[in-house]
Amino acid sequence: MRGVAYTVFQGTKPEPMDVEVLGVLKNANGPKGDVILVRLGGAKAEYTGVVAGMSGSPVYLNGKLAGALAFRIGEFSKEPIAGVTPIAEMLEISALDRNPGSAPIEATSAAHSPSKTASPGIASAPSSDSVNRGFTNYLKPIETPLVFNGFSEETVQRFASQFSAAGIVPVMGAGSVSDAKQPEPMEPGSAVSAILVRGDMNIAATCTVTYMDAQRLLACGHPLMQFGMVDLPMTKATVLATLPSPLNAFKIVNATEPVGAFVQDRHNGILGEFGRKPEMIPVTLTIRGESADKQFHYEVLNNARLSPIAMMATVFNALHGVNEYGEETTYRMNGSISVDGYPEVAMQDMFATVDGGQPGAMLAAISLGERFSRIFDNPYSVPAIHGVQLDFNIVRERRWARLESARTDITEARPGDDITIEALLRPYRGEGTVQHIPIHIPTSTSKGPLRILVSDGDTLDHFRRGSSLLGRKLDLAATIAFLNKEHVNNRVYVSLLQADPEAMIADKVMPTLPLSIMNVMDGMRGTQDMVVSNESSVNEAATAPLDYVVAGAQVLTISIK
């Protein structure tokens, strides 16, 4: 059979390509997932070959919509041979969609069916990794990498592996995102973009519209990331140029005017709804340097897997993109995460490079990403994050100190006594400084050995809660309560640890429980999220906030008479 396909090579108007059917590859796209093998013809198609950005281009046979270009065959191909996802399999996505107001899609005769335009791809020659795994794949989805605009190369390099693990191939310098008006109407074969981050920094993927009606459209012919239900801004797009290359042909694309939201990201394509407003997470990030303040405004997608990575990458990128950035730079962070129906998650901490480790900007980004991961990683409710406010004060020197030693003048004490811990801190390239931390021994403290943990905030959090939280899934309220109880890094903490059992239910702690009470509560373990540890924290004290990040820990032991 012979037919025609449509895609945009430049501008916004889809252009025709000749199509010759070579045959059908049965079960090539999974069980019962057939692929129609075609050869493209025409001057432009033969010159460019199958390029990243063509995926979703509608293919018509005998005047009827047959499917979408979605696969490339082999490497360094001398002929533009491609695989087509049948339209019947893409229409199944419509049946899966349960969004309010969704009308069924029917593939009627289509003079205009949307096609997908993807952004430039990374060379997909058989890698040594695939050879080491013992296989080579010659039928691959046409690349739909995500274009990172406004990001530094170092940012993309640092987070490439994490994005890759989430199914994203980061690409730089091959497009941009704006809200510029694009008066040309969308039609089958038009470029369409899905936005993950928009504002002062942008992450976008572009493919081609396969089919559209008044309410919705289908695009791509293969998944972006196969996340299932999604909520991503959907925009029109303009193709600036199509770059031919035997190794890596792609379209350079600008995403433009918003037209709705993508709501489904499935095995055989993506589904978008016109007029729908996506729920994004607005972020305001202020950097206060010595020369001038800079403020960044952007929005991040609301997705459990990608939001934490996107937050880390954007925060690091903003901190990295100012003149004050450097390996020696220290950051004081204040901020909050607003979650609908819950207390704000407060963020107050200090970050600096410690012993040649990660730069302070990276540590700040990781801290924020970890908070996002914990908010999303609960099995009870979907968090509605309404906004993120971040304020960084920059100090252009490395402000950290190692806890070199800790001591106390006594070896014995009684319940009710007050003791003083002396901690020696050694600042980076500075003279040692001594901190005195008084702490009260509660009258209820049992006789016997009493351990005294002198440490930084991270060590204390991991010591007291790390093992208890291992493998536990808390509800959102308990998770936020835990996050708001975490310790900051610019203080020295002293904790008294007694050898009596301690029970923790959700975020509530019951210390120094008698054995008889523990036996009564033992039956609760099967019905409640209770964790028992062998030590109880009977009291805690800390220094006032210090002007450097503290790192290190010491353990002292005294005897209670």
Side-chain angles (χ1 to χ4, degrees):
M1 300 179 71
R2 292 184 180 273
V4 63
Y6 291 90
T7 199
V8 177
F9 288 97
Q10 187 171 2
T12 60
K13 184 64 179 176
E15 299 181 44
M17 299 178 287
D18 296 333
V19 173
E20 177 190 355
V21 176
L22 303 178
V24 176
L25 302 176
K26 292 288 186 181
N27 302 323
N29 189 23
K32 294 187 178 297
D34 297 344
V35 172
I36 305 168
L37 193 64
V38 301
R39 179 188 288 115
L40 304 179
K44 288 189 176 180
E46 291 173 5
Y47 177 64
T48 64
V50 180
V51 304
M54 277 188 180
S55 54
S57 299
V59 176
Y60 299 95
L61 302 174
N62 293 335
K64 296 180 180 180
L65 180 60
L69 292 180
F71 298 92
R72 64 166 73 247
I73 309 295
E75 309 294 338
F76 302 97
S77 304
K78 293 185 177 181
E79 285 191 290
I81 296 178
V84 175
T85 299
I87 188 61
E89 297 180 12
M90 296 183 67
L91 289 172
E92 292 177 4
I93 303 170
S94 176
L96 291 172
D97 188 45
R98 294 293 180 267
N99 288 297
S102 295
I105 290 181
E106 296 180 3
T108 55
S109 63
H112 298 294
S113 264
S115 77
K116 162 182 179 174
T117 308
S119 303
I122 298 300
S124 54
S127 64
S128 58
D129 185 44
S130 66
V131 173
N132 291 338
R133 291 197 302 263
F135 70 88
T136 299
N137 184 13
Y138 285 112
L139 179 72
K140 298 180 180 179
I142 300 172
E143 294 88 345
T144 311
L146 271 81
V147 173
F148 284 56
N149 179 251
F151 287 80
S152 67
E153 185 174 351
E154 181 172 346
T155 301
V156 175
Q157 286 178 343
R158 284 184 178 272
F159 293 96
S161 60
Q162 296 181 61
F163 278 112
S164 179
I168 289 176
V169 179
V171 172
M172 298 177 62
S176 66
V177 177
S178 72
D179 56 359
K181 296 298 181 183
Q182 184 174 315
E184 296 86 357
M186 294 183 71
E187 58 183 302
S190 294
V192 63
S193 294
I195 312 297
L196 277 69
V197 176
R198 64 182 177 186
D200 291 331
M201 292 167 271
N202 301 288
I203 303 176
T206 306
C207 62
T208 304
V209 179
T210 307
Y211 172 84
M212 60 187 290
D213 60 21
Q215 289 82 34
R216 298 189 289 179
L217 64 78
L218 290 166
C220 286
H222 59 67
L224 287 180
M225 294 155 287
Q226 204 166 344
F227 279 172
M229 293 183 66
V230 294
D231 194 15
L232 302 175
M234 178 173 69
T235 74
K236 294 180 179 180
T238 301
V239 178
L240 302 183
T242 299
L243 182 67
S245 168
L247 174 65
N248 181 23
F250 58 86
K251 295 182 181 183
I252 302 173
V253 180
N254 280 347
T256 58
E257 182 180 357
V259 292
F262 285 108
V263 296
Q264 299 289 338
D265 177 14
R266 301 290 179 175
H267 179 63
N268 290 311
I270 58 177
L271 173 71
E273 286 190 8
F274 292 112
R276 181 186 176 95
K277 186 176 180 181
E279 295 294 330
M280 302 282 279
I281 301 172
V283 181
T284 299
L285 192 157
T286 304
I287 301 175
R288 306 187 188 278
E290 295 180 6
S291 56
D293 295 351
K294 290 189 176 181
Q295 194 168 75
F296 300 88
H297 299 277
Y298 57 94
E299 293 179 309
V300 174
L301 81 163
N302 200 331
N303 179 273
R305 282 182 62 187
L306 279 179
S307 293
I309 308 172
M311 284 301 307
M312 286 192 292
T314 53
V315 168
F316 177 82
N317 187 64
L319 296 176
H320 181 262
V322 296
N323 289 325
E324 290 87 350
Y325 175 82
E327 296 295 320
E328 303 293 306
T329 307
T330 301
Y331 302 88
R332 297 189 184 95
M333 179 180 74
N334 284 281
S336 63
I337 303 173
S338 300
V339 184
D340 186 31
Y342 298 90
E344 284 192 342
V345 179
M347 293 180 293
Q348 183 177 10
D349 221 332
M350 190 170 174
F351 304 95
T353 302
V354 179
D355 282 350
Q358 298 273 24
M362 189 67 178
L363 296 174
I366 291 171
S367 173
L368 182 62
E370 192 261 349
R371 282 175 166 85
F372 261 77
S373 294
R374 288 170 63 178
I375 290 171
F376 277 109
D377 190 24
N378 77 87
Y380 303 102
S381 56
V382 178
I385 300 179
H386 283 177
V388 179
Q389 296 280 339
L390 294 172
D391 196 309
F392 288 93
N393 280 282
I394 294 180
V395 181
R396 292 176 60 188
E397 58 179 303
R398 188 182 298 187
R399 303 289 301 174
W400 73 271
R402 175 164 298 285
L403 177 61
E404 199 163 88
S405 64
R407 60 182 294 273
T408 180
D409 290 335
I410 64 170
T411 58
E412 295 181 354
R414 297 182 181 277
D417 285 355
D418 292 307
I419 63 174
T420 299
I421 305 299
E422 184 180 281
L424 174 62
L425 298 175
R426 182 71 63 181
Y428 175 71
R429 293 179 178 173
E431 298 294 327
T433 174
V434 175
Q435 298 288 328
H436 293 91
I437 306 112
I439 191 166
H440 178 73
I441 300 175
T443 54
S444 59
T445 305
S446 303
K447 293 181 179 180
L450 180 70
R451 296 209 309 155
I452 303 173
L453 174 65
V454 186
S455 69
D456 59 64
D458 278 346
T459 300
L460 181 56
D461 286 333
H462 285 108
F463 182 82
R464 292 188 55 192
R465 294 171 183 152
S467 59
S468 299
L469 292 175
L470 190 64
R472 297 174 68 195
K473 298 292 186 181
L474 303 179
D475 62 29
L476 190 52
T479 298
I480 290 176
F482 259 120
L483 291 173
N484 284 330
K485 290 178 183 176
E486 291 194 334
H487 300 82
V488 296
N489 278 336
N490 61 339
R491 296 182 183 225
V492 179
Y493 292 92
V494 175
S495 297
L496 304 182
L497 304 175
Q498 184 175 307
D500 289 327
E502 177 180 88
M504 184 183 296
I505 299 177
D507 62 311
K508 307 300 188 294
V509 178
M510 293 176 284
T512 61
L513 290 175
L515 187 59
S516 58
I517 300 296
M518 290 301 301
N519 289 335
V520 172
M521 295 181 66
D522 192 58
M524 297 171 60
R525 298 191 192 192
T527 57
Q528 297 201 25
D529 198 3
M530 188 172 83
V531 173
V532 176
S533 58
N534 295 326
E535 281 186 314
S536 292
S537 176
V538 296
N539 201 7
E540 183 181 295
T543 63
L546 304 172
D547 195 27
Y548 32 69
V549 176
V550 177
Q554 299 277 327
V555 177
L556 310 174
T557 303
I558 63 173
S559 179
I560 301 298
K561 295 297 184 181

